[in-house]
Amino acid sequence: MSAGETLGPERFAIRIDDRDLADLRARLDRVRLPEPETVPDQTQGIGLERLTALLEAWREHDWDIWQERWNAIPHYRVVLDGLGIAFWHVRSPEPNALPLLLTHGWPGSVLEFEDIIGPLSDPVAHGGSARDAFHLVIPALPGFGFSDRPRERGWDPGRTARAWAELMTVLGYPRFGAHGGDWGAFVSTELARIAPERVAGLHLTMPVASPLPEDLVAPTPAEQRILDRRTLHMTDGYGFGMQMSTRPQTVGYSLLDSPAGLAAWLGEKFAAYADTRPEYGGGVSISQQIDTIALYWLTGTGASSSRWYWEAMRWVPRGAEAENAQPITTPTACSIFPADPWPTARRWAERRYRDLRPWHELDRGGHFPGLEQPHLLVPEIREAFRHTRKP
């Protein structure tokens, strides 16, 4: 097989070896934890009490049950640009459904979209209209989940976007929509940039747009709150990103060797980036967190998913001028959730996304809307693509 050769998709079932599950249980039984933090809040990282609760829930996690549930979703593998990519492909029963590509980020996975598969692919069965149906393609990023772990440099969001375009070609979808948050927003944005004739519409929960220098001089009160939020994220919440974008291999050893280390590394962000207000559902549930943490552990992707940051941070446009020099003409809708750590002002986004519609700022939810607020995300996605439907 040549590096650029694309092989047809093959359906496969998830099967984790019983020896791997036994090894995990043994490691959880002999985990070694430090003393409690010396502060009453999360300023030193995930607290001992919370991590202990995560590990206790993980000990009760029945992978076989979840494996059976996930195998009920059609799961495929295809080789794209020399790398095996795993993806869910759920065709709608509606003949006029719009193909839609959903891309996750870190510390997420394809599991972010599990609860919206039914309502998006079969809206009639979930109280919706047939006109809002989608054929869903949900790939795992390179180095994540059951996709292959790259053995060479170069698998950044740009190369991934090109691979996603090829994936949709292989599946017979010449025209499609794209949705993404976190790194999925970068991949989806780049896909719309390089293939505008194919991407019928774009929906983002974290648009990739930054303020110009003059925006920092006299921001509106709302923009100042956004700037303050972004500054807080970079100064007090992005240490993980600096580590993974500079020395991913170093942290990767502990993520592969210690389930407690992996649970802490991922679990901290599931709380920090979610809307944890009890009246709005409390954020990402413990069971949802453990599902994702277990997926990272059993696929051995703690290091390879960290290297994604090393690749991506060498690829991303540097600053608003560089972003705006790569404009997006595809019709773009944005859903902004209040607890996202990296918010964007509409005025900044309009400079890059030249056909922005609609722009919704919601009153609840965070960085993981598919896990936190799927009942809000579904209508946002449906509305975002109504303009793309052909009569």
Side-chain angles (χ1 to χ4, degrees):
M1 180 183 69
S2 64
E5 185 179 356
T6 300
L7 301 180
E10 295 183 354
R11 187 161 181 176
F12 76 99
I14 298 169
R15 290 286 182 267
I16 297 297
D17 193 292
D18 288 341
R19 291 171 295 183
D20 293 330
L21 295 172
D23 174 71
L24 170 60
R25 286 190 289 269
R27 289 172 184 263
L28 287 170
D29 287 342
R30 64 173 186 267
V31 67
R32 187 171 70 166
L33 299 176
E35 64 282 350
E37 60 279 11
T38 59
V39 293
D41 51 31
Q42 301 299 306
T43 55
Q44 292 181 353
I46 187 170
L48 178 62
E49 182 177 350
R50 183 165 173 271
L51 179 61
T52 299
L54 273 177
L55 296 178
E56 289 176 353
W58 199 353
R59 291 186 182 96
E60 300 300 319
H61 186 263
D62 191 328
W63 175 265
D64 290 333
I65 290 177
W66 302 118
Q67 185 170 257
E68 181 178 351
R69 190 181 83 204
W70 296 329
N71 277 329
I73 304 171
H75 208 163
Y76 296 84
R77 179 185 296 277
V78 66
V79 175
L80 302 168
D81 194 11
L83 192 73
I85 296 295
F87 63 98
W88 281 335
H89 184 200
V90 181
R91 289 189 59 84
S92 172
E94 303 297 337
N96 295 321
L98 176 72
L100 178 62
L101 185 59
L102 306 174
T103 306
H104 67 88
W106 185 97
S109 71
V110 297
L111 301 182
E112 290 184 45
F113 306 119
E114 183 184 8
D115 289 341
I116 66 175
I117 288 175
L120 290 181
S121 64
D122 192 1
V124 173
H126 294 80
S129 169
R131 67 173 183 166
D132 289 325
F134 297 93
H135 300 308
L136 299 176
V137 180
I138 309 174
L141 288 170
F144 288 72
F146 290 94
S147 287
D148 285 353
R149 290 163 282 184
R151 305 292 182 180
E152 61 180 6
R153 291 181 55 180
W155 276 99
D156 54 38
R159 186 174 179 179
T160 302
R162 294 190 295 273
W164 276 198
E166 178 63 18
L167 172 61
M168 299 305 274
T169 298
V170 169
L171 295 177
Y173 297 137
R175 180 177 179 271
F176 54 88
H179 159 87
D182 195 84
W183 287 117
F186 284 80
V187 173
S188 299
T189 294
E190 179 66 5
L191 182 56
R193 189 183 74 85
I194 65 174
E197 73 286 355
R198 298 189 63 190
V199 180
L202 191 60
H203 180 255
L204 306 173
T205 58
M206 196 186 82
V208 185
S210 304
L212 290 166
E214 54 264 34
D215 295 325
L216 308 180
V217 177
T220 67
E223 289 171 348
Q224 186 60 59
R225 288 191 292 271
I226 291 172
L227 291 168
D228 292 343
R229 174 75 169 164
R230 288 161 74 107
T231 298
L232 178 64
H233 173 59
M234 290 303 297
T235 57
D236 191 56
Y238 199 65
F240 78 97
M242 295 298 293
Q243 174 67 31
M244 294 198 297
S245 62
T246 58
R247 300 294 185 272
Q249 193 71 8
T250 300
V251 70
Y253 295 115
S254 62
L255 301 180
L256 264 289
D257 192 58
S258 169
L262 180 67
W265 195 247
L266 303 183
E268 178 193 323
K269 297 310 171 190
F270 276 124
Y273 292 171
D275 185 350
T276 56
R277 293 176 292 177
E279 63 269 30
Y280 294 135
V284 183
S285 71
I286 291 290
S287 64
Q288 290 171 323
Q289 293 180 49
I290 294 303
D291 284 349
T292 301
I293 293 167
L295 178 63
Y296 274 74
W297 177 266
L298 292 168
T299 56
T301 50
S304 56
S305 59
S306 298
R307 286 194 295 271
W308 171 269
Y309 269 78
W310 191 94
E311 296 283 359
M313 293 304 290
R314 284 157 177 75
W315 173 88
V316 295
R318 299 294 179 181
E321 291 89 349
E323 291 170 348
N324 296 339
Q326 299 179 352
I328 308 302
T329 58
T330 297
T332 302
C334 296
S335 302
I336 309 301
F337 291 86
D340 196 287
W342 197 245
T344 301
R346 177 168 185 161
R347 184 159 64 104
W348 311 342
E350 286 174 335
R351 297 179 183 132
R352 186 177 192 195
Y353 299 92
R354 303 297 174 82
D355 188 0
L356 196 59
R357 49 161 154 166
W359 177 280
H360 288 166
E361 297 181 11
L362 293 94
D363 66 349
R364 68 196 68 183
H367 198 59
F368 312 98
L371 297 175
E372 300 175 62
Q373 303 290 342
H375 63 289
L376 294 182
L377 183 59
V378 165
E380 289 291 302
I381 292 176
R382 286 174 177 170
E383 181 177 353
F385 293 98
R386 281 182 181 142
H387 71 90
T388 69
R389 307 284 180 165
K390 293 182 178 180

